[in-house]
Amino acid sequence: MKIADLSNILASLAEENFPSNKVNLWPSIKNQLENHGQHSRSNMLHGSTNSKRSRRTALIFVAITITAFILLLASPQGQAFAQKVIRFFSTTTEKSFVLPTDMIFPVPPTQTPKPTYILPLETAGVKSDPTPEKEDNWSCSDPSYKDEYWCLIETVESQAGFDLKEFLYDPKGTQFSKVYYNPETKEAITEYKVVSGGGYLILRQGLFDYIPHDDPWSKVPIDAIDQVSVNGNYAEIASGTYVVYPDATEAVWEPGGQLSLVWREGSSWFVFEKWGDPYPIEWINKDEMIKLAESLTPSRPIDAVAPVDPENLTSIEEAQDFAKFDILTPTVLPEGFELQRVVYVNEMVHQLYGPQNRTDTPLRISMGPIEDFQAGTCTECPPGTVEDVFVNQWQGWYWRGIFSTGLFVEGQPTSTPEWHAEANDWSVVWNTDSLWIGVNFWIGDSGEVMNKETLLKIAESIH
Amino acid sequence: MQINEIQAIALLKNGDISGLEYLVNQYQVKAVQTAFLITGDPYAAEDITQNAFLRAAERIGQFNDQLPFQPWFIRTVINEAIKYAKKQTRNTSLDGYDESVLDWLKDAKPLPEKYVEDAELRNQVFNALMRLSPDERKVIIQRHFLEMNEAEMANDLNRPRSTVKWWLHTARKKLRFIWNGNQRENEGVNHENS
């Protein structure tokens, strides 16, 4: 059946059951209007006797199972069973292992800095008109749709030979990154990256037997594993990961941070992992991992729309729905920069701008009501660091530098934070009649730099 | 006296039910057919449509008469049909299918083979449609029966167009899958009977 025929078939079905020349509802409606009553001839069929019977059967089964389990635990055999039996992880009693020599790397020496250049400014542009909507009869065989989420899922399902379970929507703080099938391990892997970088959520799934990886990195100390359940299915969750410190010859187990949840459901197995623990996914602890796992669905249902996350908005308009003040925006930006994300938290709005083809957001414009907070000079900065400036008619303060342990300087951190005057970090803050505003530009060693004049131009364009 | 839709709405707003009669005559067919395709129940479809007209009459004061009546009204019909469909427990196996609906599909007179095949096709599509969830049926009906475009659906459903595309895709995929499954079942039965 072609979709193009569906319209004709539906029209025929409708006409067959309610021929146009025979439908005449007016007499009945008029009668109801005149009698001020509702007449219902609905045939309330489809009684639930079958479902009641099924529920009763399920309850009896559960009762028998619980009774049998209690009896089992009371027996000597049951006592043995009650000890921790780990099924989904390769376990170890050690909290560290020696690194193979080919995996020991010295800390690299300081690299020669790249040549720097001041970013030119351009008018903050409106995004170009989106590609015109295609005709309705699109399909995943159309190359222009091959990277759409649902087409990627369809491709992997076809490769894997089974339907993938999916989240209702991207977990808060993450966005879908990729999905692919590994034919060697016969598993499908769905990856969600943290919006600000620094972490991932990984969902692996496959059929039949699950064999945990047995390499030293994948083994888990037995006391790091909890036995839990997902949708009533036995599951195990491990918290921690092996890390290697600079100049170390061993990998050591670091509890916390990374989570790995493994379970079976029917003939499928699932591994759900949290890599890294940056702020956007800090909320995902063991309980939240389990809730996310239990929310997996055979396919995203029709009405699944992610709740708006005020800390991960995509437009000023969205943020304006939250903020009680009028959000001001810049009219000039560094060349190639665009709005990447907006964060609303505690009646503050942070606009994050970055290069179009990158995910970093070096430029941050923050603002909030002056009743809550007033910008001022940097009191912790060393004397002589801060300059008084004017942003349009407003008194402001400018400085360059940051306190840091210098983790990324010369490869050796200091024990306490020190002031780095030449760090790639520039700031200007000021107050207007109603708002405090701050503009900060921070960038790594990509070569692009800022200076006072350029930063002030950006600041003065905010209105 | 011939009247148009704007005049009918004005009459209804003034309490004159001849305005409602005009609207009923104009939209009853589309409304009851839409309700039937969503609920699969002809009796419920009539009830839902009648109630929707009565409710429209009660709420006509809220209606912006600068806009066309049909989309506003059909939305009410669809919402009530969805509510009804969700309350019903549908047995997904053909064996448990509601015989009263099949009665409506049967033709009393013998038909040439071609028409028998077409009727069988419609029956199969109907069965497959009824196996979709009510919300999935809704997007299929909006697109393929009411011939709403994606922009209209996005506006009606208050969702972005990309979401509408996704819903249509999954509903069509499921419908095609169910229909293909029914085809294989029937081919299996025909093979056994041959």
Side-chain angles (χ1 to χ4, degrees):
Chain A
M1 173 188 64
K2 296 178 187 166
I3 285 299
D5 298 334
L6 183 55
S7 298
N8 292 333
I9 293 171
L10 290 176
S12 298
L13 268 172
E15 188 64 23
E16 189 173 12
N17 289 275
F18 282 98
S20 307
N21 59 355
K22 294 201 175 139
V23 174
N24 185 16
L25 301 178
W26 176 242
S28 176
I29 293 173
K30 185 179 175 192
N31 191 43
Q32 290 181 56
L33 280 171
E34 287 168 353
N35 293 336
H36 298 289
Q38 293 285 334
H39 170 67
S40 173
R41 301 202 315 270
S42 290
N43 185 357
M44 302 303 288
L45 292 174
H46 322 301
S48 59
T49 50
N50 281 342
S51 62
K52 282 183 188 167
R53 200 175 301 133
S54 299
R55 278 201 297 276
R56 200 178 311 129
T57 307
L59 281 171
I60 292 170
F61 177 74
V62 167
I64 290 172
T65 306
I66 290 173
T67 307
F69 189 67
I70 291 170
L71 289 173
L72 175 64
L73 281 181
S75 68
Q77 294 84 354
Q79 293 296 325
F81 179 79
Q83 291 175 10
K84 212 170 183 177
V85 176
I86 303 300
R87 291 163 42 185
F88 294 138
F89 289 94
S90 293
T91 57
T92 175
T93 54
E94 302 297 326
K95 296 290 179 73
S96 65
F97 61 91
V98 175
L99 292 170
T101 49
D102 60 354
M103 289 196 75
I104 299 174
F105 297 98
V107 176
T110 308
Q111 293 183 349
T112 305
K114 291 181 185 173
T116 60
Y117 63 97
I118 302 291
L119 279 163
L121 294 178
E122 63 181 11
T123 304
V126 176
K127 282 195 179 171
S128 58
D129 287 340
T131 307
E133 293 287 347
K134 286 184 167 285
E135 292 299 318
D136 185 48
N137 54 344
W138 68 275
S139 76
C140 290
S141 57
D142 184 335
S144 59
Y145 288 104
K146 70 176 176 57
D147 292 330
E148 296 287 348
Y149 171 83
W150 51 87
C151 290
L152 292 170
I153 292 285
E154 194 174 87
T155 301
V156 172
E157 286 178 341
S158 172
Q159 293 167 342
F162 58 85
D163 274 348
L164 267 59
K165 279 217 168 172
E166 305 169 50
F167 289 110
L168 291 169
Y169 35 74
D170 297 351
K172 178 172 172 289
T174 73
Q175 64 187 65
F176 170 76
S177 170
K178 56 182 167 184
V179 58
Y180 59 97
Y181 179 67
N182 185 332
E184 289 178 9
T185 56
K186 292 189 170 48
E187 61 188 48
I189 300 115
T190 313
E191 190 179 288
Y192 298 84
K193 63 181 181 185
V194 174
V195 292
S196 56
Y200 291 90
L201 294 180
I202 311 281
L203 176 67
R204 296 161 48 211
Q205 49 192 303
L207 293 180
F208 310 121
D209 294 330
Y210 171 68
I211 302 170
H213 297 164
D214 201 32
D215 60 276
W217 294 96
S218 301
K219 289 191 176 186
V220 178
I222 198 164
D223 59 359
I225 303 172
D226 289 334
Q227 292 166 311
V228 294
S229 76
V230 173
N231 287 329
N233 300 291
Y234 172 77
E236 291 165 0
I237 187 164
S239 172
T241 187
Y242 286 100
V243 297
V244 179
Y245 289 105
D247 285 335
T249 57
E250 283 189 328
V252 296
W253 180 259
E254 192 76 26
Q258 179 157 325
L259 292 169
S260 295
L261 174 63
V262 189
W263 74 102
R264 289 186 57 88
E265 199 163 321
S267 56
S268 301
W269 59 261
F270 301 89
V271 176
F272 181 36
E273 295 176 309
K274 172 186 167 187
W275 291 4
D277 197 24
Y279 171 70
I281 57 171
E282 260 182 11
W283 65 276
I284 302 178
N285 55 21
K286 285 184 186 176
D287 289 338
E288 296 297 338
M289 280 289 278
I290 294 171
K291 281 186 198 167
L292 281 170
E294 291 183 330
S295 76
L296 285 167
T297 180
S299 65
R300 286 189 172 179
I302 281 175
D303 55 354
V305 176
V308 176
D309 177 6
E311 296 190 34
N312 188 25
L313 305 170
T314 57
S315 71
I316 301 295
E317 289 73 24
E318 280 188 309
Q320 193 63 80
D321 287 341
F322 290 93
K324 297 186 184 64
F325 59 91
D326 287 338
I327 300 171
L328 307 181
T329 56
T331 57
V332 296
L333 289 171
E335 192 177 64
F337 274 43
E338 63 180 13
L339 182 67
Q340 302 270 17
R341 199 157 66 99
V342 186
V343 176
Y344 170 84
V345 60
N346 296 331
E347 197 55 6
M348 290 185 287
V349 172
H350 305 282
Q351 304 167 40
L352 304 172
Y353 296 87
Q356 287 162 355
N357 54 352
R358 301 201 319 240
T359 56
D360 57 326
T361 50
L363 178 66
R364 183 179 65 197
I365 298 175
S366 307
M367 59 189 65
I370 203 166
E371 293 81 14
D372 296 345
F373 174 76
Q374 289 199 13
T377 187
C378 171
T379 52
E380 298 123 353
C381 296
T385 305
V386 181
E387 288 181 46
D388 289 351
V389 294
F390 276 91
V391 179
N392 298 318
Q393 73 269 39
W394 308 108
Q395 162 83 58
W397 300 269
Y398 163 84
W399 65 89
R400 176 182 178 181
I402 193 170
F403 277 103
S404 169
T405 57
L407 185 63
F408 302 106
V409 177
E410 297 179 359
Q412 293 293 336
T414 55
S415 56
T416 56
E418 292 181 353
W419 182 255
H420 292 263
E422 298 302 310
N424 290 340
D425 197 297
W426 297 261
S427 301
V428 61
V429 301
W430 70 102
N431 301 300
T432 68
D433 283 342
S434 57
L435 296 176
W436 63 264
I437 305 175
V439 180
N440 172 260
F441 190 94
W442 178 89
I443 202 159
D445 294 326
S446 55
E448 302 134 331
V449 292
M450 182 55 63
N451 63 15
K452 173 184 162 187
E453 290 68 34
T454 307
L455 195 70
L456 285 176
K457 281 184 184 166
I458 297 172
E460 287 175 343
S461 80
I462 295 173
H463 70 282
Chain B
M1 182 184 75
Q2 293 275 4
I3 61 173
N4 60 29
E5 179 170 302
I6 295 176
Q7 290 165 330
I9 291 169
L11 283 170
L12 188 55
K13 282 187 174 182
N14 284 330
D16 185 341
I17 65 168
S18 64
L20 183 61
E21 183 180 7
Y22 173 90
L23 295 171
V24 170
N25 290 335
Q26 286 294 116
Y27 301 115
Q28 60 183 340
V29 172
K30 187 62 83 177
V32 76
Q33 289 181 347
T34 299
F36 168 70
L37 288 173
I38 291 179
T39 62
D41 183 337
Y43 298 113
E46 280 197 27
D47 270 348
I48 285 167
T49 305
Q50 289 176 24
N51 290 336
F53 276 119
L54 290 169
R55 194 167 304 117
E58 287 169 15
R59 293 163 47 212
I60 199 67
Q62 301 167 21
F63 177 70
N64 178 356
D65 47 21
Q66 301 301 312
L67 300 172
F69 180 79
Q70 177 171 313
W72 180 75
F73 176 67
I74 292 293
R75 189 180 306 130
T76 303
V77 171
I78 290 175
N79 289 342
E80 291 306 311
I82 293 286
K83 277 187 205 169
Y84 175 85
K86 282 181 176 175
K87 281 182 193 165
Q88 306 312 303
T89 303
R90 286 238 166 243
N91 192 325
T92 55
S93 85
L94 287 175
D95 291 340
Y97 195 74
D98 184 0
E99 290 292 334
S100 67
V101 177
L102 288 177
D103 285 339
W104 280 78
L105 294 173
K106 283 179 189 165
D107 194 311
K109 293 181 285 189
L111 290 171
E113 188 176 333
K114 173 187 175 303
Y115 293 112
V116 170
E117 285 174 1
D118 285 349
E120 185 59 32
L121 172 64
R122 286 197 295 276
N123 191 22
Q124 289 172 5
V125 169
F126 185 83
N127 290 342
L129 192 65
M130 290 303 118
R131 284 201 193 178
L132 297 180
S133 73
D135 284 319
E136 288 165 338
R137 253 176 266 156
K138 173 179 170 180
V139 292
I140 291 286
I141 300 308
Q142 281 184 317
R143 183 66 194 93
H144 294 285
F145 178 67
L146 296 172
E147 296 179 328
M148 294 170 70
N149 62 36
E150 286 175 3
E152 288 167 335
M153 288 176 67
N155 189 47
D156 181 71
L157 297 164
N158 196 26
R159 295 284 186 269
R161 285 178 74 164
S162 56
T163 304
V164 170
K165 278 187 188 299
W166 166 237
W167 292 352
L168 272 172
H169 170 72
T170 52
R172 283 172 185 155
K173 178 180 166 184
K174 198 170 166 185
L175 185 66
R176 202 181 285 120
F177 177 77
I178 296 169
W179 188 80
N180 287 338
N182 291 350
Q183 284 288 88
R184 284 194 291 274
E185 281 181 28
N186 290 338
E187 282 164 13
V189 169
N190 291 336
H191 179 72
E192 284 175 14
N193 290 340
S194 64

